[in-house]
PDB file of all heavy atoms in Angstrom:
ATOM      1  N   GLY B 567     -16.147 -12.201 -69.498  1.00 97.00           N
ATOM      2  CA  GLY B 567     -15.056 -12.111 -68.664  1.00 97.00           C
ATOM      3  C   GLY B 567     -13.793 -12.914 -69.222  1.00 97.00           C
ATOM      4  O   GLY B 567     -13.950 -13.364 -70.240  1.00 97.00           O
ATOM      5  N   LYS B 568     -12.808 -12.805 -68.480  1.00 96.00           N
ATOM      6  CA  LYS B 568     -11.562 -13.321 -68.901  1.00 96.00           C
ATOM      7  C   LYS B 568     -11.694 -14.761 -69.159  1.00 96.00           C
ATOM      8  O   LYS B 568     -12.252 -15.538 -68.161  1.00 96.00           O
ATOM      9  CB  LYS B 568     -10.451 -13.027 -67.876  1.00 96.00           C
ATOM     10  CG  LYS B 568      -8.997 -13.394 -68.351  1.00 96.00           C
ATOM     11  CD  LYS B 568      -7.886 -12.637 -67.809  1.00 96.00           C
ATOM     12  CE  LYS B 568      -6.710 -12.815 -68.379  1.00 96.00           C
ATOM     13  NZ  LYS B 568      -5.722 -13.535 -67.605  1.00 96.00           N
ATOM     14  N   ASP B 569     -11.338 -15.329 -70.279  1.00 96.00           N
ATOM     15  CA  ASP B 569     -11.578 -16.780 -70.638  1.00 96.00           C
ATOM     16  C   ASP B 569     -12.903 -17.249 -70.346  1.00 96.00           C
ATOM     17  O   ASP B 569     -13.066 -18.418 -69.923  1.00 96.00           O
ATOM     18  CB  ASP B 569     -10.543 -17.589 -69.750  1.00 96.00           C
ATOM     19  CG  ASP B 569      -9.128 -17.153 -69.906  1.00 96.00           C
ATOM     20  OD1 ASP B 569      -8.801 -16.725 -71.105  1.00 96.00           O
ATOM     21  OD2 ASP B 569      -8.477 -17.210 -68.912  1.00 96.00           O
ATOM     22  N   ASN B 570     -13.897 -16.350 -70.661  1.00 97.00           N
ATOM     23  CA  ASN B 570     -15.368 -16.625 -70.367  1.00 97.00           C
ATOM     24  C   ASN B 570     -15.479 -17.241 -68.950  1.00 97.00           C
ATOM     25  O   ASN B 570     -16.285 -18.234 -68.717  1.00 97.00           O
ATOM     26  CB  ASN B 570     -15.797 -17.712 -71.339  1.00 97.00           C
ATOM     27  CG  ASN B 570     -16.100 -16.937 -72.675  1.00 97.00           C
ATOM     28  OD1 ASN B 570     -16.440 -15.805 -72.785  1.00 97.00           O
ATOM     29  ND2 ASN B 570     -16.127 -17.626 -73.905  1.00 97.00           N
ATOM     30  N   SER B 571     -14.826 -16.696 -67.993  1.00 97.00           N
ATOM     31  CA  SER B 571     -14.955 -17.269 -66.701  1.00 97.00           C
ATOM     32  C   SER B 571     -16.237 -17.021 -65.914  1.00 97.00           C
ATOM     33  O   SER B 571     -16.553 -17.588 -64.962  1.00 97.00           O
ATOM     34  CB  SER B 571     -13.758 -16.733 -65.846  1.00 97.00           C
ATOM     35  OG  SER B 571     -13.904 -15.362 -65.820  1.00 97.00           O
ATOM     36  N   LYS B 572     -17.010 -16.030 -66.495  1.00 98.00           N
ATOM     37  CA  LYS B 572     -18.287 -15.703 -65.815  1.00 98.00           C
ATOM     38  C   LYS B 572     -19.427 -15.946 -66.722  1.00 98.00           C
ATOM     39  O   LYS B 572     -19.277 -15.958 -67.968  1.00 98.00           O
ATOM     40  CB  LYS B 572     -18.208 -14.163 -65.418  1.00 98.00           C
ATOM     41  CG  LYS B 572     -17.190 -13.790 -64.438  1.00 98.00           C
ATOM     42  CD  LYS B 572     -17.252 -12.487 -64.023  1.00 98.00           C
ATOM     43  CE  LYS B 572     -16.256 -11.590 -64.714  1.00 98.00           C
ATOM     44  NZ  LYS B 572     -16.223 -10.329 -64.130  1.00 98.00           N
ATOM     45  N   GLY B 573     -20.603 -16.195 -66.063  1.00 97.00           N
ATOM     46  CA  GLY B 573     -21.690 -16.452 -66.921  1.00 97.00           C
ATOM     47  C   GLY B 573     -23.032 -15.996 -66.208  1.00 97.00           C
ATOM     48  O   GLY B 573     -22.952 -15.465 -65.052  1.00 97.00           O
ATOM     49  N   LEU B 574     -24.133 -16.004 -66.980  1.00 98.00           N
ATOM     50  CA  LEU B 574     -25.384 -15.514 -66.480  1.00 98.00           C
ATOM     51  C   LEU B 574     -26.321 -16.737 -66.224  1.00 98.00           C
ATOM     52  O   LEU B 574     -26.411 -17.488 -67.010  1.00 98.00           O
ATOM     53  CB  LEU B 574     -26.059 -14.575 -67.498  1.00 98.00           C
ATOM     54  CG  LEU B 574     -25.162 -13.251 -67.667  1.00 98.00           C
ATOM     55  CD1 LEU B 574     -25.855 -12.439 -68.810  1.00 98.00           C
ATOM     56  CD2 LEU B 574     -25.210 -12.328 -66.405  1.00 98.00           C
ATOM     57  N   ARG B 575     -27.014 -16.699 -65.010  1.00 96.00           N
ATOM     58  CA  ARG B 575     -27.965 -17.488 -64.862  1.00 96.00           C
ATOM     59  C   ARG B 575     -29.182 -16.784 -64.172  1.00 96.00           C
ATOM     60  O   ARG B 575     -29.087 -15.746 -63.644  1.00 96.00           O
ATOM     61  CB  ARG B 575     -27.535 -18.763 -64.022  1.00 96.00           C
ATOM     62  CG  ARG B 575     -27.426 -18.442 -62.539  1.00 96.00           C
ATOM     63  CD  ARG B 575     -27.271 -19.617 -61.586  1.00 96.00           C
ATOM     64  NE  ARG B 575     -27.113 -19.393 -60.355  1.00 96.00           N
ATOM     65  CZ  ARG B 575     -26.502 -19.929 -59.364  1.00 96.00           C
ATOM     66  NH1 ARG B 575     -25.971 -21.201 -59.708  1.00 96.00           N
ATOM     67  NH2 ARG B 575     -26.243 -19.490 -58.197  1.00 96.00           N
ATOM     68  N   ILE B 576     -30.198 -17.579 -64.187  1.00 94.00           N
ATOM     69  CA  ILE B 576     -31.539 -16.921 -63.685  1.00 94.00           C
ATOM     70  C   ILE B 576     -31.773 -17.469 -62.263  1.00 94.00           C
ATOM     71  O   ILE B 576     -31.585 -18.688 -61.965  1.00 94.00           O
ATOM     72  CB  ILE B 576     -32.734 -17.095 -64.603  1.00 94.00           C
ATOM     73  CG1 ILE B 576     -33.799 -16.086 -64.371  1.00 94.00           C
ATOM     74  CG2 ILE B 576     -33.168 -18.483 -64.620  1.00 94.00           C
ATOM     75  CD1 ILE B 576     -34.497 -15.676 -65.602  1.00 94.00           C
ATOM     76  N   ARG B 577     -32.163 -16.633 -61.416  1.00 90.00           N
ATOM     77  CA  ARG B 577     -32.688 -17.126 -60.105  1.00 90.00           C
ATOM     78  C   ARG B 577     -34.150 -17.341 -60.027  1.00 90.00           C
ATOM     79  O   ARG B 577     -34.889 -17.050 -60.911  1.00 90.00           O
ATOM     80  CB  ARG B 577     -32.347 -15.930 -59.064  1.00 90.00           C
ATOM     81  CG  ARG B 577     -30.770 -15.902 -58.850  1.00 90.00           C
ATOM     82  CD  ARG B 577     -30.432 -15.199 -57.610  1.00 90.00           C
ATOM     83  NE  ARG B 577     -30.880 -13.768 -57.698  1.00 90.00           N
ATOM     84  CZ  ARG B 577     -30.130 -12.709 -57.363  1.00 90.00           C
ATOM     85  NH1 ARG B 577     -29.011 -12.927 -56.802  1.00 90.00           N
ATOM     86  NH2 ARG B 577     -30.625 -11.408 -57.462  1.00 90.00           N
ATOM     87  N   ASN B 578     -34.490 -18.025 -58.953  1.00 83.00           N
ATOM     88  CA  ASN B 578     -35.805 -18.380 -58.812  1.00 83.00           C
ATOM     89  C   ASN B 578     -36.829 -17.231 -58.952  1.00 83.00           C
ATOM     90  O   ASN B 578     -38.019 -17.270 -59.313  1.00 83.00           O
ATOM     91  CB  ASN B 578     -36.166 -19.059 -57.561  1.00 83.00           C
ATOM     92  CG  ASN B 578     -36.319 -20.424 -57.599  1.00 83.00           C
ATOM     93  OD1 ASN B 578     -36.621 -20.822 -58.811  1.00 83.00           O
ATOM     94  ND2 ASN B 578     -36.356 -21.278 -56.623  1.00 83.00           N
ATOM     95  N   ASN B 579     -36.364 -16.011 -58.427  1.00 85.00           N
ATOM     96  CA  ASN B 579     -37.314 -14.832 -58.307  1.00 85.00           C
ATOM     97  C   ASN B 579     -37.289 -14.234 -59.733  1.00 85.00           C
ATOM     98  O   ASN B 579     -37.548 -12.974 -59.875  1.00 85.00           O
ATOM     99  CB  ASN B 579     -36.800 -13.975 -57.404  1.00 85.00           C
ATOM    100  CG  ASN B 579     -35.445 -13.555 -57.466  1.00 85.00           C
ATOM    101  OD1 ASN B 579     -34.742 -13.933 -58.341  1.00 85.00           O
ATOM    102  ND2 ASN B 579     -35.014 -12.528 -56.584  1.00 85.00           N
ATOM    103  N   LEU B 580     -36.815 -14.897 -60.803  1.00 92.00           N
ATOM    104  CA  LEU B 580     -36.829 -14.400 -62.132  1.00 92.00           C
ATOM    105  C   LEU B 580     -35.854 -13.184 -62.266  1.00 92.00           C
ATOM    106  O   LEU B 580     -36.118 -12.265 -63.130  1.00 92.00           O
ATOM    107  CB  LEU B 580     -38.235 -14.014 -62.489  1.00 92.00           C
ATOM    108  CG  LEU B 580     -39.280 -15.119 -62.507  1.00 92.00           C
ATOM    109  CD1 LEU B 580     -40.624 -14.660 -62.907  1.00 92.00           C
ATOM    110  CD2 LEU B 580     -38.832 -16.134 -63.505  1.00 92.00           C
ATOM    111  N   GLU B 581     -34.761 -13.226 -61.508  1.00 95.00           N
ATOM    112  CA  GLU B 581     -33.667 -12.233 -61.726  1.00 95.00           C
ATOM    113  C   GLU B 581     -32.551 -12.885 -62.254  1.00 95.00           C
ATOM    114  O   GLU B 581     -32.205 -14.077 -61.998  1.00 95.00           O
ATOM    115  CB  GLU B 581     -33.430 -11.448 -60.421  1.00 95.00           C
ATOM    116  CG  GLU B 581     -34.471 -10.529 -60.088  1.00 95.00           C
ATOM    117  CD  GLU B 581     -34.218  -9.855 -58.816  1.00 95.00           C
ATOM    118  OE1 GLU B 581     -33.362 -10.046 -58.168  1.00 95.00           O
ATOM    119  OE2 GLU B 581     -35.089  -8.939 -58.398  1.00 95.00           O
ATOM    120  N   LEU B 582     -31.665 -12.058 -62.977  1.00 97.00           N
ATOM    121  CA  LEU B 582     -30.336 -12.662 -63.521  1.00 97.00           C
ATOM    122  C   LEU B 582     -29.263 -12.641 -62.309  1.00 97.00           C
ATOM    123  O   LEU B 582     -29.366 -11.740 -61.353  1.00 97.00           O
ATOM    124  CB  LEU B 582     -29.885 -11.757 -64.539  1.00 97.00           C
ATOM    125  CG  LEU B 582     -30.468 -12.048 -65.958  1.00 97.00           C
ATOM    126  CD1 LEU B 582     -29.751 -11.182 -66.928  1.00 97.00           C
ATOM    127  CD2 LEU B 582     -30.373 -13.526 -66.401  1.00 97.00           C
ATOM    128  N   GLU B 583     -28.294 -13.280 -62.363  1.00 96.00           N
ATOM    129  CA  GLU B 583     -27.120 -13.294 -61.582  1.00 96.00           C
ATOM    130  C   GLU B 583     -25.898 -13.630 -62.363  1.00 96.00           C
ATOM    131  O   GLU B 583     -25.911 -14.512 -63.163  1.00 96.00           O
ATOM    132  CB  GLU B 583     -27.127 -13.854 -60.170  1.00 96.00           C
ATOM    133  CG  GLU B 583     -27.144 -15.359 -60.266  1.00 96.00           C
ATOM    134  CD  GLU B 583     -27.306 -15.904 -58.790  1.00 96.00           C
ATOM    135  OE1 GLU B 583     -26.984 -15.299 -57.820  1.00 96.00           O
ATOM    136  OE2 GLU B 583     -27.940 -17.047 -58.728  1.00 96.00           O
ATOM    137  N   VAL B 584     -24.797 -13.105 -62.033  1.00 98.00           N
ATOM    138  CA  VAL B 584     -23.528 -13.391 -62.545  1.00 98.00           C
ATOM    139  C   VAL B 584     -22.894 -14.523 -61.719  1.00 98.00           C
ATOM    140  O   VAL B 584     -22.771 -14.363 -60.408  1.00 98.00           O
ATOM    141  CB  VAL B 584     -22.612 -12.226 -62.601  1.00 98.00           C
ATOM    142  CG1 VAL B 584     -21.211 -12.562 -63.052  1.00 98.00           C
ATOM    143  CG2 VAL B 584     -23.032 -11.074 -63.445  1.00 98.00           C
ATOM    144  N   VAL B 585     -22.447 -15.490 -62.333  1.00 97.00           N
ATOM    145  CA  VAL B 585     -21.929 -16.665 -61.544  1.00 97.00           C
ATOM    146  C   VAL B 585     -20.519 -17.054 -62.245  1.00 97.00           C
ATOM    147  O   VAL B 585     -20.330 -16.777 -63.442  1.00 97.00           O
ATOM    148  CB  VAL B 585     -22.756 -17.882 -61.433  1.00 97.00           C
ATOM    149  CG1 VAL B 585     -23.949 -17.421 -60.665  1.00 97.00           C
ATOM    150  CG2 VAL B 585     -23.243 -18.311 -62.812  1.00 97.00           C
ATOM    151  N   ASP B 586     -19.827 -17.715 -61.483  1.00 97.00           N
ATOM    152  CA  ASP B 586     -18.571 -18.439 -61.970  1.00 97.00           C
ATOM    153  C   ASP B 586     -18.959 -19.479 -63.032  1.00 97.00           C
ATOM    154  O   ASP B 586     -19.704 -20.367 -62.630  1.00 97.00           O
ATOM    155  CB  ASP B 586     -17.994 -18.890 -60.706  1.00 97.00           C
ATOM    156  CG  ASP B 586     -16.610 -19.707 -61.184  1.00 97.00           C
ATOM    157  OD1 ASP B 586     -16.700 -20.439 -62.206  1.00 97.00           O
ATOM    158  OD2 ASP B 586     -15.659 -19.735 -60.356  1.00 97.00           O
ATOM    159  N   SER B 587     -18.521 -19.436 -64.183  1.00 95.00           N
ATOM    160  CA  SER B 587     -19.051 -20.269 -65.187  1.00 95.00           C
ATOM    161  C   SER B 587     -18.567 -21.706 -65.035  1.00 95.00           C
ATOM    162  O   SER B 587     -19.295 -22.669 -65.518  1.00 95.00           O
ATOM    163  CB  SER B 587     -18.774 -19.751 -66.643  1.00 95.00           C
ATOM    164  OG  SER B 587     -17.343 -19.795 -66.756  1.00 95.00           O
ATOM    165  N   LYS B 588     -17.401 -21.877 -64.461  1.00 95.00           N
ATOM    166  CA  LYS B 588     -17.039 -23.229 -64.498  1.00 95.00           C
ATOM    167  C   LYS B 588     -17.817 -24.091 -63.492  1.00 95.00           C
ATOM    168  O   LYS B 588     -18.212 -25.166 -63.718  1.00 95.00           O
ATOM    169  CB  LYS B 588     -15.466 -23.307 -64.109  1.00 95.00           C
ATOM    170  CG  LYS B 588     -14.697 -23.349 -65.515  1.00 95.00           C
ATOM    171  CD  LYS B 588     -13.313 -23.058 -65.147  1.00 95.00           C
ATOM    172  CE  LYS B 588     -12.885 -22.050 -66.186  1.00 95.00           C
ATOM    173  NZ  LYS B 588     -12.025 -20.996 -65.619  1.00 95.00           N
ATOM    174  N   ASN B 589     -18.100 -23.490 -62.236  1.00 94.00           N
ATOM    175  CA  ASN B 589     -18.755 -24.291 -61.238  1.00 94.00           C
ATOM    176  C   ASN B 589     -20.291 -24.349 -61.534  1.00 94.00           C
ATOM    177  O   ASN B 589     -20.986 -24.874 -60.662  1.00 94.00           O
ATOM    178  CB  ASN B 589     -18.507 -23.622 -59.952  1.00 94.00           C
ATOM    179  CG  ASN B 589     -17.066 -23.610 -59.607  1.00 94.00           C
ATOM    180  OD1 ASN B 589     -16.213 -24.451 -60.171  1.00 94.00           O
ATOM    181  ND2 ASN B 589     -16.474 -22.638 -58.863  1.00 94.00           N
ATOM    182  N   ASN B 590     -20.788 -23.582 -62.485  1.00 94.00           N
ATOM    183  CA  ASN B 590     -22.346 -23.602 -62.590  1.00 94.00           C
ATOM    184  C   ASN B 590     -22.729 -23.783 -64.101  1.00 94.00           C
ATOM    185  O   ASN B 590     -23.620 -23.278 -64.637  1.00 94.00           O
ATOM    186  CB  ASN B 590     -22.763 -22.252 -62.125  1.00 94.00           C
ATOM    187  CG  ASN B 590     -22.614 -21.917 -60.725  1.00 94.00           C
ATOM    188  OD1 ASN B 590     -23.263 -22.328 -59.888  1.00 94.00           O
ATOM    189  ND2 ASN B 590     -21.428 -21.119 -60.490  1.00 94.00           N
ATOM    190  N   LYS B 591     -21.839 -24.640 -64.662  1.00 93.00           N
ATOM    191  CA  LYS B 591     -21.949 -24.936 -66.117  1.00 93.00           C
ATOM    192  C   LYS B 591     -23.483 -25.128 -66.606  1.00 93.00           C
ATOM    193  O   LYS B 591     -23.978 -24.482 -67.535  1.00 93.00           O
ATOM    194  CB  LYS B 591     -21.075 -26.045 -66.547  1.00 93.00           C
ATOM    195  CG  LYS B 591     -20.237 -25.821 -67.741  1.00 93.00           C
ATOM    196  CD  LYS B 591     -19.411 -26.965 -68.022  1.00 93.00           C
ATOM    197  CE  LYS B 591     -18.294 -26.298 -69.126  1.00 93.00           C
ATOM    198  NZ  LYS B 591     -17.220 -27.161 -69.108  1.00 93.00           N
ATOM    199  N   ASP B 592     -24.141 -25.964 -65.763  1.00 93.00           N
ATOM    200  CA  ASP B 592     -25.507 -26.305 -66.280  1.00 93.00           C
ATOM    201  C   ASP B 592     -26.439 -25.197 -66.119  1.00 93.00           C
ATOM    202  O   ASP B 592     -27.601 -25.217 -66.754  1.00 93.00           O
ATOM    203  CB  ASP B 592     -25.923 -27.590 -65.433  1.00 93.00           C
ATOM    204  CG  ASP B 592     -24.953 -28.739 -65.853  1.00 93.00           C
ATOM    205  OD1 ASP B 592     -24.220 -28.588 -66.829  1.00 93.00           O
ATOM    206  OD2 ASP B 592     -25.114 -29.783 -65.056  1.00 93.00           O
ATOM    207  N   ASP B 593     -26.164 -24.311 -65.239  1.00 93.00           N
ATOM    208  CA  ASP B 593     -27.142 -23.250 -65.010  1.00 93.00           C
ATOM    209  C   ASP B 593     -27.004 -22.063 -66.022  1.00 93.00           C
ATOM    210  O   ASP B 593     -27.916 -21.284 -66.079  1.00 93.00           O
ATOM    211  CB  ASP B 593     -26.907 -22.577 -63.514  1.00 93.00           C
ATOM    212  CG  ASP B 593     -27.345 -23.637 -62.564  1.00 93.00           C
ATOM    213  OD1 ASP B 593     -27.798 -24.645 -62.944  1.00 93.00           O
ATOM    214  OD2 ASP B 593     -27.156 -23.258 -61.366  1.00 93.00           O
ATOM    215  N   ILE B 594     -25.946 -22.045 -66.778  1.00 97.00           N
ATOM    216  CA  ILE B 594     -25.718 -20.814 -67.498  1.00 97.00           C
ATOM    217  C   ILE B 594     -26.892 -20.749 -68.588  1.00 97.00           C
ATOM    218  O   ILE B 594     -27.037 -21.769 -69.246  1.00 97.00           O
ATOM    219  CB  ILE B 594     -24.310 -21.002 -68.296  1.00 97.00           C
ATOM    220  CG1 ILE B 594     -23.224 -20.951 -67.203  1.00 97.00           C
ATOM    221  CG2 ILE B 594     -24.114 -19.671 -69.132  1.00 97.00           C
ATOM    222  CD1 ILE B 594     -23.149 -19.930 -66.186  1.00 97.00           C
ATOM    223  N   LEU B 595     -27.388 -19.685 -68.767  1.00 97.00           N
ATOM    224  CA  LEU B 595     -28.327 -19.479 -69.754  1.00 97.00           C
ATOM    225  C   LEU B 595     -27.877 -19.563 -71.077  1.00 97.00           C
ATOM    226  O   LEU B 595     -26.657 -19.167 -71.359  1.00 97.00           O
ATOM    227  CB  LEU B 595     -29.168 -18.082 -69.566  1.00 97.00           C
ATOM    228  CG  LEU B 595     -30.064 -17.904 -68.388  1.00 97.00           C
ATOM    229  CD1 LEU B 595     -30.314 -16.446 -68.176  1.00 97.00           C
ATOM    230  CD2 LEU B 595     -31.288 -18.677 -68.772  1.00 97.00           C
ATOM    231  N   ILE B 596     -28.618 -20.077 -72.074  1.00 97.00           N
ATOM    232  CA  ILE B 596     -28.272 -20.027 -73.506  1.00 97.00           C
ATOM    233  C   ILE B 596     -29.026 -18.995 -74.202  1.00 97.00           C
ATOM    234  O   ILE B 596     -30.232 -18.641 -73.875  1.00 97.00           O
ATOM    235  CB  ILE B 596     -28.767 -21.411 -74.157  1.00 97.00           C
ATOM    236  CG1 ILE B 596     -28.138 -22.534 -73.439  1.00 97.00           C
ATOM    237  CG2 ILE B 596     -28.370 -21.420 -75.608  1.00 97.00           C
ATOM    238  CD1 ILE B 596     -26.671 -22.689 -73.549  1.00 97.00           C
ATOM    239  N   HIS B 597     -28.279 -18.177 -74.945  1.00 98.00           N
ATOM    240  CA  HIS B 597     -28.885 -16.928 -75.596  1.00 98.00           C
ATOM    241  C   HIS B 597     -30.057 -17.467 -76.661  1.00 98.00           C
ATOM    242  O   HIS B 597     -29.749 -18.156 -77.417  1.00 98.00           O
ATOM    243  CB  HIS B 597     -27.933 -16.079 -76.351  1.00 98.00           C
ATOM    244  CG  HIS B 597     -28.547 -14.781 -76.908  1.00 98.00           C
ATOM    245  ND1 HIS B 597     -29.578 -14.112 -76.203  1.00 98.00           N
ATOM    246  CD2 HIS B 597     -28.348 -14.098 -77.968  1.00 98.00           C
ATOM    247  CE1 HIS B 597     -29.854 -13.157 -76.868  1.00 98.00           C
ATOM    248  NE2 HIS B 597     -29.146 -13.034 -78.001  1.00 98.00           N
ATOM    249  N   ASP B 598     -31.109 -16.784 -76.460  1.00 97.00           N
ATOM    250  CA  ASP B 598     -32.328 -17.158 -77.268  1.00 97.00           C
ATOM    251  C   ASP B 598     -32.817 -15.770 -77.787  1.00 97.00           C
ATOM    252  O   ASP B 598     -33.539 -15.078 -77.020  1.00 97.00           O
ATOM    253  CB  ASP B 598     -33.344 -18.005 -76.559  1.00 97.00           C
ATOM    254  CG  ASP B 598     -34.473 -18.164 -77.491  1.00 97.00           C
ATOM    255  OD1 ASP B 598     -34.580 -17.810 -78.704  1.00 97.00           O
ATOM    256  OD2 ASP B 598     -35.454 -18.899 -76.924  1.00 97.00           O
ATOM    257  N   GLU B 599     -32.505 -15.429 -79.059  1.00 98.00           N
ATOM    258  CA  GLU B 599     -32.994 -14.150 -79.572  1.00 98.00           C
ATOM    259  C   GLU B 599     -34.501 -13.953 -79.599  1.00 98.00           C
ATOM    260  O   GLU B 599     -34.934 -12.884 -79.805  1.00 98.00           O
ATOM    261  CB  GLU B 599     -32.439 -13.933 -80.960  1.00 98.00           C
ATOM    262  CG  GLU B 599     -30.964 -13.899 -80.939  1.00 98.00           C
ATOM    263  CD  GLU B 599     -30.401 -13.905 -82.487  1.00 98.00           C
ATOM    264  OE1 GLU B 599     -31.306 -14.414 -83.404  1.00 98.00           O
ATOM    265  OE2 GLU B 599     -29.292 -13.518 -82.865  1.00 98.00           O
ATOM    266  N   THR B 600     -35.207 -15.070 -79.487  1.00 98.00           N
ATOM    267  CA  THR B 600     -36.638 -14.989 -79.582  1.00 98.00           C
ATOM    268  C   THR B 600     -37.416 -14.793 -78.370  1.00 98.00           C
ATOM    269  O   THR B 600     -38.617 -14.646 -78.208  1.00 98.00           O
ATOM    270  CB  THR B 600     -37.171 -16.208 -80.314  1.00 98.00           C
ATOM    271  OG1 THR B 600     -37.107 -17.382 -79.547  1.00 98.00           O
ATOM    272  CG2 THR B 600     -36.539 -16.325 -81.685  1.00 98.00           C
TER     273      THR B 600
END
Side-chain angles (χ1 to χ4, degrees):
Chain B
K568 191 152 188 246
D569 305 324
N570 277 342
S571 58
K572 296 186 260 185
L574 295 170
R575 81 166 171 204
I576 198 144
R577 288 198 292 225
N578 250 351
N579 60 355
L580 299 176
E581 284 176 2
L582 281 183
E583 70 183 331
V584 173
V585 293
D586 177 324
S587 62
K588 267 169 226 133
N589 302 330
N590 300 278
K591 231 176 190 155
D592 298 344
D593 289 357
I594 302 297
L595 286 166
I596 304 296
H597 184 40
D598 175 359
E599 292 171 341
T600 66

